[in-house]
Amino acid sequence: MYTWQDARGGRARAGEEAAGESHASLLSRLSGSSVYSGYGSATHSYNRENGLVPDGAASLCTIGDYAAMRLCGACEPVMDATQAAAIGLFEPETGRFDEDVIVEAGMEPDLFPRVAAAAEEAAVGRTNDGIPVYAAIGDSQAGFIGGAGIRKGTLLVTIGTGAQIALYSGERVLAEGLESRPMPGGGWLLTGAALAGGKSYELLERFLREAAELAGGAAPERLYSRMNEAAEAELDRLEREGIKPELTVSPSWLGSRSEPEASGSITGIREDGFTVPGLIAGFLQGTVDELLDMLAPLPAGLRAGIARIAGTGNGIRRNPAMRRLLAARTGLPLRTAAMTEESAAGAALHAAVMSGLYRSHEHAMLAAGNAGGQLEG
């Protein structure tokens, strides 16, 4: 999103490829750090090359930054480091965007917004009612604050349309397949994202619905509930018989960030094991395995420090079989947050810290975590 001096906003269009090399790939190569398609810097690079930057644009920013501006009538965005990291070309060590790379890529450094270097600089202004407004924070960081309950030792697993894992670390850790994102109040959030997640379950639901229609029967109502029940019954059977699922599902239906052209697969198909309940359980197990396998590159000490699992997103909250598989794979207790909109709750807790209602983000998380939630495992 771009802003004008009179605080009018505009919408940018994202592009996929430039001649010979994608803009995300170009910026990754120039900066030596990962810039993915959809990052603000890659979108702006495409817009600039294709004449899509609006005339008179004064700055680019995220939607959250723009909303904060409009709430208090400001004309200049103030960006938190968590949002700056999500745009790309941001150097967490210096708290600044990499101007050398920006210039080398043919962009104007002045269009990149000011990043708040300290808590007091994060104040954007006040509303007409005198309510203070602070710079927006990243949605994954907000989701962790609102959903993890305890900052250290909690692995947050989120399964919605997409899926991701997040783990707090006091130090920056560079591990293949994981992003190290700055956290409000200090430290880092190690995040791994899968593109399919709950979309994989939706794909299976569509397949089963089409199969039911092809067989001449009406598609069952509440098919997701039936699928969940079938998955739990299959897990009960496997547990009674002391066997492992025969089907192995790799849910890379939408590719991955590192391999956009990757595809999914179903293996281990045998005559007596290819059943609808087995297929449903296999899809769920594949989603769990894809996420938790991302922990493998972490330092052993950091992995060993994981003491609990927090689950968020409807793919966990509404699916007992998914929660059961997560608890079984990790051997750790799994708790779902009491709040259903964890990112919104995390943003509110962050604002409470910034305004002095809580002395730290950790204190705010503990206070919110004590509100309860469902515990399994």
Side-chain angles (χ1 to χ4, degrees):
M1 175 170 284
Y2 298 93
T3 65
W4 282 258
Q5 293 294 354
D6 61 357
R8 288 181 292 122
R11 175 175 293 176
R13 293 193 301 180
E16 292 297 326
E17 299 289 333
E21 184 177 23
S22 72
H23 290 267
S25 176
L26 169 67
L27 297 181
S28 296
R29 178 169 56 80
L30 293 178
S31 66
S33 59
S34 297
V35 175
Y36 297 107
S37 177
Y39 272 30
S41 57
T43 299
H44 176 58
S45 176
Y46 174 89
N47 288 345
R48 183 186 180 282
E49 183 170 302
N50 290 276
L52 297 174
V53 178
D55 293 336
S59 177
L60 60 86
C61 65
T62 70
I63 293 176
D65 303 320
Y66 181 72
M69 287 173 54
R70 294 304 303 239
L71 282 172
C72 54
C75 296
E76 177 188 6
V78 178
M79 183 170 284
D80 186 84
T82 59
Q83 293 280 63
I87 283 182
L89 307 185
F90 178 71
E91 297 179 313
E93 295 82 3
T94 64
R96 300 172 58 88
F97 288 103
D98 191 333
E99 293 191 4
D100 291 339
V101 172
I102 291 172
V103 171
E104 188 175 359
M107 298 182 287
E108 302 81 6
D110 290 347
L111 279 180
F112 284 73
R114 175 171 65 87
V115 180
E120 58 272 15
E121 295 181 17
V124 181
R126 290 181 177 271
T127 66
N128 291 335
D129 298 329
I131 300 173
V133 177
Y134 301 95
I137 60 173
D139 57 354
S140 59
Q141 291 90 337
F144 189 84
I145 294 171
I150 301 174
R151 186 173 64 169
K152 295 181 180 178
T154 299
L155 177 68
L156 182 71
V157 181
T158 302
I159 300 178
T161 302
Q164 70 175 23
I165 56 171
L167 179 67
Y168 174 83
S169 173
E171 298 180 355
R172 191 180 188 190
V173 175
L174 300 180
E176 184 178 357
L178 297 174
E179 295 182 49
S180 192
R181 303 174 178 177
M183 274 290 286
W188 303 85
L189 193 64
L190 307 179
T191 306
L195 298 183
K199 191 71 176 179
S200 181
Y201 211 42
E202 180 183 327
L203 175 68
L204 180 59
E205 189 269 352
R206 188 176 68 211
F207 169 79
L208 295 176
R209 189 174 294 278
E210 290 177 357
E213 292 173 352
L214 184 63
E221 296 180 0
R222 300 177 59 204
L223 185 54
Y224 279 117
S225 297
R226 302 273 185 94
M227 290 167 62
N228 295 345
E229 292 167 3
E232 285 212 275
E234 177 69 3
L235 295 179
D236 288 338
R237 182 187 72 82
L238 295 174
E239 188 174 298
R240 286 195 308 270
E241 298 179 7
I243 59 177
K244 296 181 179 180
E246 295 187 35
L247 296 180
T248 300
V249 178
S250 174
S252 301
W253 322 114
L254 303 178
S256 67
R257 282 188 165 184
S258 58
E259 298 182 64
E261 301 304 318
S263 58
S265 65
I266 302 172
T267 58
I269 298 176
R270 294 181 179 274
E271 181 181 4
D272 57 349
F274 189 57
T275 65
V276 170
L279 190 61
I280 296 170
F283 265 65
L284 296 178
Q285 185 69 64
T287 298
V288 169
D289 290 342
E290 182 183 29
L291 286 172
L292 297 184
D293 286 349
M294 294 180 185
L295 297 174
L298 287 178
L302 194 56
R303 288 202 310 273
I306 299 174
R308 67 198 68 84
I309 309 294
T312 62
N314 287 335
I316 293 178
R317 190 179 301 279
R318 297 181 180 178
N319 194 331
M322 184 74 84
R323 298 196 298 271
R324 180 172 169 179
L325 287 170
L326 277 168
R329 167 71 192 268
T330 62
L332 296 171
L334 183 147
R335 182 183 294 274
T336 54
M339 298 165 287
T340 58
E341 296 294 339
E342 295 87 0
S343 291
L349 290 171
H350 171 69
V353 173
M354 299 299 289
S355 61
L357 293 178
Y358 293 106
R359 62 176 179 268
S360 69
H361 289 84
E362 187 166 20
H363 184 227
M365 291 175 67
L366 286 169
N370 288 335
Q374 181 176 341
L375 180 66
E376 300 199 15

